[in-house]
Amino acid sequence: KGKGKFYKGVIGKVNDDDTYRVDFDDGDVDKAVELDNIEWEEESDSDDGRGSSKKKKKKGPRKGDKVKAKFKGKGKFYPGEIAKVNSDGTVNVNFDDGDKDRFVDMKCVKLEDGDDNDDSQDDEGELEEGTKVEAR
């Protein structure tokens, strides 16, 4: 669990504790998969003129990812970098101004994907029941 190869499945339920039930294609079910153990594809709205839409892999937080996070879970979002992904699903963040924060809940973190188009204020709803995923 949480290590090794990713397997195809679908989100069966979004849990209240920020984990996900994954119903794997082979019939197995994992009732509490953390986001950093899930990958999924999201269709892009861009049209490249060939009638196909681009897809990009979405991943959970990884060490070294650029983020914007709330310091001590309060106030506004500040730029930083993930220093560590903790086993409980929280992250340690080194902020650009030199401050550090440990065990930051992912509700207080926005992953920077290099896309300046920030329509949504939160990532809730991107991964929902019925979304096809790969998880470990």
Side-chain angles (χ1 to χ4, degrees):
K1 185 173 177 177
K3 294 185 179 181
K5 184 177 175 183
F6 283 82
Y7 297 92
K8 292 183 182 212
V10 65
I11 298 297
K13 180 180 179 193
V14 178
N15 300 320
D16 292 335
D17 63 355
D18 295 325
T19 63
Y20 301 86
R21 187 187 84 213
V22 177
D23 301 332
F24 291 97
D25 290 356
D26 68 359
D28 285 346
V29 175
D30 192 334
K31 294 180 180 178
V33 180
E34 294 177 357
L35 185 61
D36 60 336
N37 290 317
I38 299 175
E39 294 182 348
W40 73 99
E41 291 185 353
E42 181 180 80
E43 296 218 19
S44 165
D45 293 336
S46 65
D47 184 1
D48 61 6
R50 292 179 286 180
S52 65
S53 61
K54 296 180 180 177
K55 291 187 176 186
K56 60 182 179 180
K57 280 282 191 192
K58 300 287 279 186
K59 295 182 181 179
R62 305 262 190 247
K63 181 178 178 179
D65 282 353
K66 298 291 183 189
V67 296
K68 287 189 179 173
K70 293 182 178 182
F71 184 68
K72 303 293 183 194
K74 298 178 182 173
K76 68 179 207 171
F77 287 85
Y78 297 96
E81 181 177 293
I82 293 179
K84 179 182 178 188
V85 178
N86 301 306
S87 61
D88 64 358
T90 63
V91 295
N92 295 359
V93 177
N94 292 341
F95 290 94
D96 290 356
D97 67 359
D99 283 335
K100 296 181 180 187
D101 201 357
R102 297 174 59 209
F103 302 102
V104 180
D105 190 302
M106 286 305 295
K107 290 179 183 176
C108 298
V109 177
K110 294 180 185 178
L111 291 174
E112 298 289 301
D113 59 6
D115 186 0
D116 290 339
N117 185 6
D118 188 18
D119 309 323
S120 74
Q121 290 299 315
D122 61 324
D123 291 334
E124 297 289 324
E126 276 190 15
L127 194 55
E128 56 191 22
E129 290 179 24
T131 302
K132 291 182 181 182
V133 298
E134 291 186 4
R136 55 181 177 191

